[in-house]
Amino acid sequence: METATARTTTNDGAAIAINHKDMANAIRALAMDAVEKANSGHPGMPMGMADVATVLFSQFLKFDPQHPEWPDRDRFVLSAGHGSMLIYALLYLTGYPQMTIDEIQRFRQIDSKTPGHPEHGHTLGVETTTGPLGQGVGNAVGMALAERMLNARHGDALVDHYTYCIAGDGCLMEGISQEAISLAGHLKLSKLILLFDDNHISIDGSTDLTVSDDQVARFQASGWNATRIDGHDPEAIAKAIAAAKKSDRPSMIACRTTIGFGAPKKAGTASAHGSPLGKEEIAGAREQLGWKYPPFEVPLDILGAWRKVGARGQGAFADWTQRHGAAASRAEFDRTQKGELPEGFAAAINDIKNAFAKEAPKLATRQSSQRVIDGLNAVLPELIGGSADLTGSNLTKAKAANPVKPGDYSGGYIYYGVREHGMAAAMNGIALHGGFIPFGGTFLCFTDYARPSIRLSALMNQRVVYVMTHDSIGQGEDGPTHQPVEHLAALRAIPNMLVFRPCDSMETAECWALALSARNQPSILSLTRQAVPHLRADAAVANHCARGGYIIRPAEGERKATILATGSEVSIAVEAQALLAQEGIGAAVASLPCWELFDQQSEAYRNEVLGSGVRVAVEAMVSFGWERYLGPIGPKGGGFVGMTGFGASAPGPDVYKHFNITPAAVAEAVKARL
Ligand SMILES: Cc1ncc(C[n+]2csc(CCOP(=O)(O)OP(=O)(O)O)c2C)c(N)n1
Ligand SMILES: [Mg+2]
């Protein structure tokens, strides 16, 4: 490898010469030493991509370690999250105050800032949690789109930055990458630059074993600008990035690299991928790289050069701060950056609820949701809707919302196409970027297609709202492929996720309000295709759903039983209550639109809602999870009326009858236990 000299500029614009090779080797040494000390981790990728990262950070990336949350910073996404030591080394070297050499030495240990894979919200400077391969590519697309959308609202003075993403062979093999790449190409996200770690190696060995794609041609086919370079040649890297920045399309740079670059025996092989190199190999690498220093020691001149790189952004940050101070839209910009809801939000929700209370409409909850979306459109401009090609079914588009188009990002509605996984990952990116609250629709059944990203919304504490309609066998004719039965249980199992299943228009408005108010949590809104009766007779003000569950119909006379239900089955419970009342049996109906919120209530409140008598639940899903409220389910235990297997194709009401999810069945289940 040549000893190239990269040029960078200091804060005051003076050019300084720094030794590229030493700077890149500092990354390599920290990566191999940290993995060795932890006796666990992935040295190969950081060692291979050290040259690319050094050029990117020292010459291009706009960032300021003192202000890691600067809204107009360039975003750097390490999609190949197993190479976490790459970003940790960069954060340390460029001087993020939190990332000390101690933290590098505590790589992969409890409570360190250097967990096995980069975790957003845990380590400053980590823009998104990566590790599940391909996710970062989808996040980067969302970030690049958010940048353009925010730019359309606030102009170049406040928003004008790039999104860089490092992705490996694995990321590009994952299906999600195709959805993301295709969407980015279509939308012409020209400020998105993907650096492909083209090292021909993954865990099983050479990528020849598994993939023959021409990646450059593949990206070009999706409307990207794509080139191939030597990923160890700093000048080629710099030239390619500079060209990419000028492109009118998103850019992919295939950087041909050697995994574990510098390791005498393991370089270029899968054995450099995911385990410590070992003492002998590390000693050999030190020699080969010309790195004479002990573990975790970066000599002052090299560290100093890196710290100058870290200081490069100070001037740009100061300039931005001035522009921000003078910006006409500053208040709105700051509010949406903080993620605060506007003053008019509560009033808008109340208006919607008042209208529902007055009309008492018999609507599908997806239709009620459409009314909420329309009602919030003017008040909540940061709300960015979308659907994975089911706009007319999910009813996610506000009538007044304009679509986001290639080159025109002023709209508030994204036609994601049939790309559920890509949509969810992009929504994570939009939420992470800041300035917006994304929501997107598909059928509840197809949360499976987006689940890995949904899980990451929860893990990253991101406010992403999943509008999931056609939420049961009530969907009808499309049959069991389209009828969710296990999905609510699976979604309720995700920590930090709010799963809402409102029963009527009033609850739909309340659940939307709760989802939007949950600053650090994603939400699922599980909504019906079919019309449901209006059940809530009360005036609008109190949000009953805020407690997750409540008595929607008290028992007439002595309360011998409680019927628990969610969503479309609450009306079945109410009918069952009437059947029981005819026989003099008092039963209360509890609506449980959000288990997670209900479980946070006091034991006394929960006991009051659940009742001390017979408990029977009705939900057109499998019973999995209901034991927590019913105790053991069985003839002598709690009753459950719902699904035990997959659904069937027929008109919705017929399917309910076929599976015996009826008021009579619920009433029978109560009586059998009295
Ligand atoms: C979705 C997903 N599947 C599997 C893995 C396990 N895994 C981690 S790295 C890796 C190989 C990735 O190959 P590549 O991106 O080429 O990384 P390199 O070996 O070049 O560092 C695999 C299969 C993962 N992290 N995420
Ligand atoms: Mg690879």
Side-chain angles (χ1 to χ4, degrees):
M1 193 189 106
E2 74 208 274
T3 314
T5 297
R7 297 197 82 73
T8 188
T9 47
T10 59
N11 186 22
D12 53 12
I16 51 155
I18 49 168
N19 186 306
H20 169 88
K21 190 181 168 192
D22 284 338
M23 292 177 76
N25 283 342
I27 297 174
R28 294 188 173 104
L30 289 171
M32 65 185 183
D33 290 342
V35 171
E36 193 69 14
K37 174 144 196 242
N39 197 22
S40 152
H42 302 76
M45 186 274 182
M47 294 175 80
M49 283 298 275
D51 291 308
V52 172
T54 299
V55 171
L56 175 65
F57 273 65
S58 64
Q59 299 182 54
F60 295 98
L61 196 76
K62 178 169 77 171
F63 72 110
D64 180 351
Q66 303 303 322
H67 301 96
E69 318 234 359
W70 173 17
D72 198 31
R73 68 192 182 279
D74 285 346
R75 302 302 194 270
F76 172 68
V77 173
L78 186 69
S79 187
H82 59 279
S84 57
M85 265 313 300
L86 180 71
I87 189 165
Y88 299 150
L90 289 161
L91 296 178
Y92 163 65
L93 291 167
T94 56
Y96 281 75
Q98 200 188 50
M99 188 57 73
T100 60
I101 196 71
D102 281 357
E103 296 294 343
I104 301 283
Q105 296 204 40
R106 298 203 304 122
F107 180 50
R108 293 189 157 226
Q109 305 309 306
I110 201 80
D111 283 343
S112 73
K113 293 293 171 196
T114 48
H117 292 84
E119 293 177 29
H120 173 78
H122 180 82
T123 308
L124 281 171
V126 170
E127 302 283 5
T128 178
T129 296
T130 52
L133 296 169
Q135 291 293 332
V137 179
N139 299 156
V141 169
M143 290 176 189
L145 178 55
E147 190 272 344
R148 283 295 85 193
M149 293 193 297
L150 207 59
N151 171 276
R153 285 151 180 78
H154 298 281
D156 287 348
L158 288 188
V159 187
D160 187 14
H161 55 265
Y162 287 84
T163 302
Y164 296 94
C165 174
I166 289 185
D169 299 295
C171 292
L172 297 194
M173 281 191 250
E174 289 290 352
I176 188 177
S177 71
Q178 187 54 35
E179 297 182 18
I181 291 162
S182 168
L183 182 61
H186 171 73
L187 289 172
K188 295 199 167 27
L189 300 177
S190 61
K191 302 189 82 171
L192 172 63
I193 299 174
L194 186 143
L195 302 154
F196 167 34
D197 179 17
D198 184 16
N199 65 15
H200 293 208
I201 292 290
S202 64
I203 292 180
D204 277 353
S206 163
T207 52
D208 287 349
L209 290 168
T210 47
V211 65
S212 319
D213 301 344
D214 177 340
Q215 296 292 4
V216 165
R218 174 191 172 203
F219 278 76
Q220 284 169 343
S222 291
W224 287 54
N225 164 43
T227 51
R228 230 182 281 275
I229 60 161
D230 172 357
H232 297 299
D233 174 351
E235 272 160 32
I237 299 164
K239 235 170 104 181
I241 297 177
K245 284 183 73 172
K246 293 200 195 104
S247 167
D248 59 354
R249 291 172 287 167
S251 297
M252 185 278 257
I253 304 168
C255 310
R256 186 69 177 95
T257 61
T258 301
I259 190 168
F261 183 95
K265 292 205 185 85
K266 295 189 173 176
T269 74
S271 54
H273 164 88
S275 36
L277 293 179
K279 277 204 171 58
E280 208 177 301
E281 190 72 0
I282 287 181
R286 282 194 144 69
E287 195 158 318
Q288 195 158 313
L289 295 169
W291 188 261
K292 308 182 282 285
Y293 319 103
F296 302 107
E297 196 178 306
V298 180
L300 278 181
D301 56 336
I302 299 173
L303 187 61
W306 266 116
R307 291 290 151 95
K308 276 185 185 138
V309 167
R312 263 178 58 238
Q314 285 173 1
F317 176 76
D319 292 348
W320 182 86
T321 306
Q322 281 208 337
R323 294 197 300 276
H324 173 247
S329 65
R330 177 183 177 171
E332 182 70 355
F333 182 83
D334 290 351
R335 179 185 72 74
T336 54
Q337 285 294 316
K338 284 187 213 134
E340 286 168 0
L341 296 170
E343 249 170 50
F345 177 74
I349 291 287
N350 272 337
D351 286 352
I352 296 163
K353 285 175 64 181
N354 277 319
F356 283 151
K358 221 159 122 195
E359 286 172 42
K362 184 175 197 282
L363 289 176
T365 51
R366 65 182 168 130
Q367 291 173 307
S368 301
S369 166
Q370 164 90 77
R371 294 263 304 259
V372 177
I373 292 165
D374 277 322
L376 290 177
N377 189 58
V379 184
L380 211 58
E382 67 267 40
L383 193 60
I384 299 292
S387 167
D389 201 44
L390 287 169
T391 297
S393 299
N394 304 141
L395 302 178
T396 34
K397 187 176 172 299
K399 284 176 202 78
N402 292 316
V404 168
K405 292 187 210 133
D408 175 4
Y409 309 95
S410 59
Y413 191 78
I414 300 165
Y415 288 106
Y416 284 104
V418 193
R419 302 181 182 101
E420 296 84 6
H421 200 176
M423 171 175 77
M427 291 200 292
N428 282 341
I430 293 169
L432 286 161
H433 180 277
F436 296 107
I437 305 172
F439 72 92
T442 183
F443 293 151
L444 182 64
C445 212
F446 301 140
T447 49
D448 285 342
Y449 272 56
R451 189 175 171 88
S453 304
I454 296 176
R455 179 174 192 264
L456 283 164
S457 308
L459 179 57
M460 292 192 281
N461 302 312
Q462 293 305 300
R463 179 170 42 182
V464 175
V465 183
Y466 295 90
V467 180
M468 303 288 114
T469 69
H470 298 58
D471 75 339
S472 73
I473 52 165
Q475 156 316 119
E477 291 83 347
D478 282 341
T481 56
H482 285 52
Q483 294 165 350
V485 291
E486 78 280 26
H487 297 73
L488 283 185
L491 292 164
R492 285 168 178 155
I494 300 178
N496 196 41
M497 167 72 63
L498 296 171
V499 180
F500 292 104
R501 192 160 187 254
C503 74
D504 71 354
S505 53
M506 200 71 118
E507 280 199 2
T508 304
E510 291 181 352
C511 291
W512 254 114
L514 293 165
L516 293 169
S517 305
R519 178 71 186 86
N520 300 311
Q521 280 181 285
S523 297
I524 300 277
L525 291 171
S526 167
L527 304 173
T528 67
R529 174 197 183 197
Q530 74 276 23
V532 289
H534 188 84
L535 294 174
R536 277 269 297 281
D538 57 310
V541 182
N543 186 328
H544 292 288
C545 294
R547 296 173 106 176
Y550 63 100
I551 299 293
I552 190 166
R553 290 279 191 283
E556 276 178 43
E558 192 195 342
R559 179 180 176 186
K560 295 213 172 103
T562 304
I563 307 170
L564 311 167
T566 72
S568 42
E569 284 72 71
V570 177
S571 64
I572 292 176
V574 169
E575 285 185 53
Q577 179 192 41
L579 292 178
L580 290 165
Q582 283 168 15
E583 299 185 40
I585 301 167
V589 176
S591 176
L592 295 183
C594 182
W595 288 14
E596 297 77 17
L597 293 178
F598 185 62
D599 291 348
Q600 288 168 21
Q601 307 307 312
S602 70
E603 194 176 347
Y605 178 76
R606 280 180 285 140
N607 286 339
E608 186 194 315
V609 172
L610 298 171
S612 53
V614 164
R615 290 178 193 169
V616 170
V618 52
E619 186 172 61
M621 299 283 154
V622 297
S623 63
F624 197 96
W626 275 100
E627 297 86 350
R628 71 170 63 186
Y629 304 129
L630 299 173
I633 296 170
K636 297 214 167 78
F640 182 77
V641 176
M643 298 295 288
T644 52
F646 295 112
S649 166
D654 295 353
V655 186
Y656 270 91
K657 270 189 216 120
H658 177 76
F659 289 107
N660 208 21
I661 302 176
T662 60
V666 175
E668 279 311 312
V670 170
K671 286 196 288 181
R673 286 168 177 79
L674 283 173

